[in-house]
Amino acid sequence: MKPSLQFPPLLLRLKRLAVLPGLLWCLLSGMSAAHASEAQPILEQPITLQVREERMAAVLSKIEAQAKVRFQYSRQLIGANRRVSINAVGQPLAQLLNQLLEPLQVSYKVVNDGIILRPATVSAAGAAPAADVPVTGQVVDEKGAGLPGVNVIIKGGTNGTQTDMDGKFTLSVPEGSTLVFSFVGYTAQEVVVGTQTTFNIALAPDAKALSEVVVVVGYGTQRRQDLTGAVARVDGAEIVNQPVQTPT
């Protein structure tokens, strides 16, 4: 009879410790695979549902009854009172949920026999465009009087508007954009649209621009800042209609 091999107690202990991580990895892998296999059949369930202008919360309740699942969500997140219409015949649950939730930027995750609804995460590369923000305000001069005809333009683009006779304006712009206010003879001003949506803009005269404005007069041209009196405009027709005196 061959003698049996005898391992020292310390070696046996180390051998058992080396096997333990492998057993744990196998156990965790099995649990993950089981969870994924459970989630897949839930989302593949065929749903038949025809509703017209029903509240979102009521529609989700009907899906719960058919799919034998429970939804967990915030009523504000999904717009519980929002009216929706569905005409689904044998449609997979995943496809139906995408149709309902994608417009709301809501995602879902299967956990055991429940489905959690949560805000969709958007990567930086595919970030959703910023929502337009209504902006209002008034542009005044150095004396506080409204300036009509001031250009209000989104920086880097061509979209914009002009102020009315009282210097007031209204415009919808993407959140975080920059507005540029410009007017002849005044220094342009920029503001960033953030949480503030009402602006009172005071433009200051631009001395350099004012000196470059040229006014055409009957006998030549002068810079506007050099004029000390009023400049009148007379049409040629008025000159022709003037009485001509004949020498006696």
Side-chain angles (χ1 to χ4, degrees), residues 216-222 227 230-231:
V216 179
V217 294
Y219 48 84
T221 61
Q222 287 190 11
L227 294 175
V231 177

Side-chain angles (χ1 to χ4, degrees), residues 8 38 49 122 162 169-170 228:
E38 289 176 2
L49 185 63
V122 182
Q162 286 188 331
F169 69 93
T170 300
T228 57

Side-chain angles (χ1 to χ4, degrees), residues 126-220:
D132 283 352
V133 176
V135 175
T136 60
Q138 184 181 28
V139 183
V140 298
D141 60 14
E142 69 278 14
K143 297 180 181 178
L147 272 176
V150 177
N151 293 314
V152 185
I153 306 295
I154 300 174
K155 188 175 183 179
T158 57
N159 294 335
T161 187
Q162 286 188 331
T163 57
D164 61 16
M165 293 302 296
D166 297 320
K168 296 180 179 180
F169 69 93
T170 300
L171 183 65
S172 291
V173 302
E175 186 177 358
S177 57
T178 300
L179 291 180
V180 181
F181 298 83
S182 61
F183 191 64
V184 176
Y186 288 82
T187 303
Q189 192 173 143
E190 297 183 2
V191 296
V192 178
V193 179
T195 56
Q196 181 180 352
T197 57
T198 302
F199 297 92
N200 293 314
I201 306 298
L203 294 183
D206 186 347
K208 181 180 178 181
L210 189 61
S211 67
E212 295 173 353
V213 176
V214 176
V215 178
V216 179
V217 294
Y219 48 84

Side-chain angles (χ1 to χ4, degrees), residues 64-155:
E64 283 180 333
Q66 281 198 46
K68 302 296 190 293
V69 297
R70 292 289 298 174
F71 288 108
Q72 299 180 32
Y73 56 85
S74 161
R75 293 178 62 86
Q76 183 178 2
L77 173 67
I78 65 165
N81 294 323
R82 178 174 175 266
R83 300 284 175 173
V84 295
S85 299
I86 295 175
N87 184 18
V89 178
Q91 190 171 349
L93 177 58
Q95 185 177 344
L96 181 58
L97 290 178
N98 291 337
Q99 178 184 338
L100 277 174
L101 303 177
E102 280 185 356
L104 304 177
Q105 295 186 355
V106 174
S107 64
Y108 57 88
K109 180 181 180 181
V110 177
V111 177
N112 298 328
D113 60 346
I115 298 179
I116 300 175
L117 307 185
R118 55 190 181 181
T121 56
V122 182
S123 63
D132 283 352
V133 176
V135 175
T136 60
Q138 184 181 28
V139 183
V140 298
D141 60 14
E142 69 278 14
K143 297 180 181 178
L147 272 176
V150 177
N151 293 314
V152 185
I153 306 295
I154 300 174
K155 188 175 183 179

